[in-house]
Amino acid sequence: MTQSDDKAANDTGRLSRRALVGGLAAAAGLPFAAQAQMQRPPALPPGFNPQPPRSMQGGVGKIKVLFISKYHAFDRENLFAAFDTFDEITWTHVEHPAATNFYDPELAAPYDVLLFYDAFAGRTFERQSDGVIANMDNPPSAKMKRDFAQLLRNGDKGFVFFHHAIASWAHTWPEYREVIGAAADWGKPLKNIRGKDYAASGALANVKQHITVVDKAHPITAGVEDFDIVDEAYLCPIFEDSVHPLLRTDFQPVDTAFPLRPLTKGHPPGSNLTGWVKTAERSPVCYLQHGHDNQAWSNPAWRKLMMNAIRWAASPEAKAWAKANPKKIFS
């Protein structure tokens, strides 16, 4: 789960894309790059800057994508470069905690697809009395919950989650994990996941995997044959009964496959699903487990799947399917 540190500047002396995006997004009260694309922006708090740095955006395509990240540093330059090869999209990047503002349907209005690469949304780190830094999982606010539920009920956005996005709100927001179809935490046990307790999830980097496309007729897998990939593999609860499978790995997700993660011991054998679609309220949802680092992002099959997933999530057909097959999640 670690990546190389961001560079402070490039050879010309200007800030690199990674340094710009990381520093600005962390400092901003609201993700002003994303706000700048709005046709009719609602009232915003003081400090809004309508002229964002180009580094927080990319692409020239018609599909407007809001890319949401959190948790550890990642190789921004290579991931953003992968996004830039998708000529059908324009993307805007925002980090948590500012990203939760876009659970609000009004703020999300300019975007066709919300693309999540976040993990542990809501988690903060606090120094205890003994000096130890402990992480605290905080529940979403009542407004966040209302906004996100309404966003999904509206049915006018597509949702694509990938890789460690299944770890957001895993302890404090049961409905959120039902939206995705899975939950994970590689450092803590998971309690009361559909009435069951689990040991900490497993994660193993640099795993050579053979991926089988189990639904070759779906638009997300169009043009994708069975493929090989080097990527991080997971063991965690996956709700197979609520998803439509797209991809399976030949990696066997059992606790003994993660010898460097003792907290995973005792976890029951998991699903080998690595890609699926489902509905949440009246919205289409896709999850792709692949995408840890540039070994995956540079894989032609990953790029094809990701572009297909974004295109599908934005399509009238996916939205019509979700509305015809709604899944009530929020009370």
Side-chain angles (χ1 to χ4, degrees), residues 40-97:
R40 294 177 298 171
L44 295 171
F48 168 66
N49 181 351
Q51 300 296 326
R54 167 63 179 81
S55 299
M56 297 181 77
Q57 298 174 303
V60 294
K62 292 183 178 180
I63 302 173
K64 300 299 188 293
V65 176
L66 183 66
F67 172 57
I68 296 172
S69 73
K70 181 181 166 60
Y71 182 44
H72 60 57
F74 62 92
D75 181 359
R76 297 166 186 265
E77 205 68 38
N78 276 316
L79 183 54
F80 292 166
F83 290 163
D84 284 342
T85 67
F86 302 159
D87 58 8
E88 296 178 51
I89 75 169
T90 297
W91 57 268
T92 301
H93 178 218
V94 60
E95 295 182 339
H96 284 288

Side-chain angles (χ1 to χ4, degrees), residues 53-307:
R54 167 63 179 81
S55 299
M56 297 181 77
Q57 298 174 303
V60 294
K62 292 183 178 180
I63 302 173
K64 300 299 188 293
V65 176
L66 183 66
F67 172 57
I68 296 172
S69 73
K70 181 181 166 60
Y71 182 44
H72 60 57
F74 62 92
D75 181 359
R76 297 166 186 265
E77 205 68 38
N78 276 316
L79 183 54
F80 292 166
F83 290 163
D84 284 342
T85 67
F86 302 159
D87 58 8
E88 296 178 51
I89 75 169
T90 297
W91 57 268
T92 301
H93 178 218
V94 60
E95 295 182 339
H96 284 288
T100 59
N101 290 283
F102 289 86
Y103 294 172
D104 184 327
E106 190 174 5
L107 291 179
Y111 303 100
D112 303 302
V113 174
L114 277 66
L115 175 62
F116 295 82
Y117 186 61
D118 53 347
F120 305 123
R123 178 166 290 183
T124 57
F125 295 85
E126 300 179 11
R127 185 178 298 277
Q128 307 301 295
S129 58
D130 58 3
V132 173
I133 303 295
N135 57 60
M136 312 292 290
D137 287 291
N138 306 296
S141 70
K143 183 180 187 306
M144 287 182 204
K145 295 170 73 172
R146 288 195 306 270
D147 286 348
F148 198 62
Q150 189 60 54
L151 190 62
L152 289 158
R153 288 173 181 144
N154 289 348
D156 58 353
K157 308 295 177 194
F159 295 78
V160 178
F161 300 83
F162 74 104
H163 200 53
H164 54 228
I166 52 174
S168 274
W169 308 107
H171 298 276
T172 59
W173 197 354
E175 294 91 348
Y176 191 89
R177 55 188 181 241
E178 292 292 339
V179 169
I180 302 174
D185 188 331
W186 305 279
K188 293 182 182 179
L190 290 167
K191 303 292 185 181
N192 194 24
I193 305 297
R194 290 187 163 191
K196 292 182 62 176
D197 294 344
Y198 292 83
S201 305
L204 184 64
N206 301 313
V207 178
K208 294 181 179 180
Q209 304 173 57
H210 183 72
I211 308 301
T212 300
V213 179
V214 295
D215 184 354
K216 296 182 182 296
H218 197 278
I220 293 177
T221 58
V224 180
E225 301 296 329
D226 297 355
F227 62 95
D228 296 316
I229 193 168
V230 177
D231 203 358
E232 188 173 55
Y234 288 162
L235 167 63
C236 61
I238 293 174
F239 313 145
E240 283 214 28
D241 64 332
S242 67
V243 307
H244 176 80
L246 298 179
L247 308 169
R248 291 189 184 272
T249 177
D250 65 347
F251 175 80
Q252 297 300 311
V254 295
D255 62 352
T256 54
F258 305 90
L260 300 181
R261 293 187 175 271
L263 293 178
T264 302
K265 185 176 181 180
H267 195 296
S271 168
N272 70 343
L273 265 182
T274 61
W276 59 78
V277 293
K278 64 186 299 294
T279 62
E281 298 294 341
R282 301 170 70 244
S283 296
V285 174
C286 172
Y287 173 74
L288 299 174
Q289 194 266 303
H290 305 292
H292 178 67
D293 58 21
N294 198 46
Q295 291 184 97
W297 307 330
S298 60
N299 187 302
W302 183 89
R303 293 194 177 193
K304 184 72 170 177
L305 285 165
M306 182 58 69
M307 184 61 249

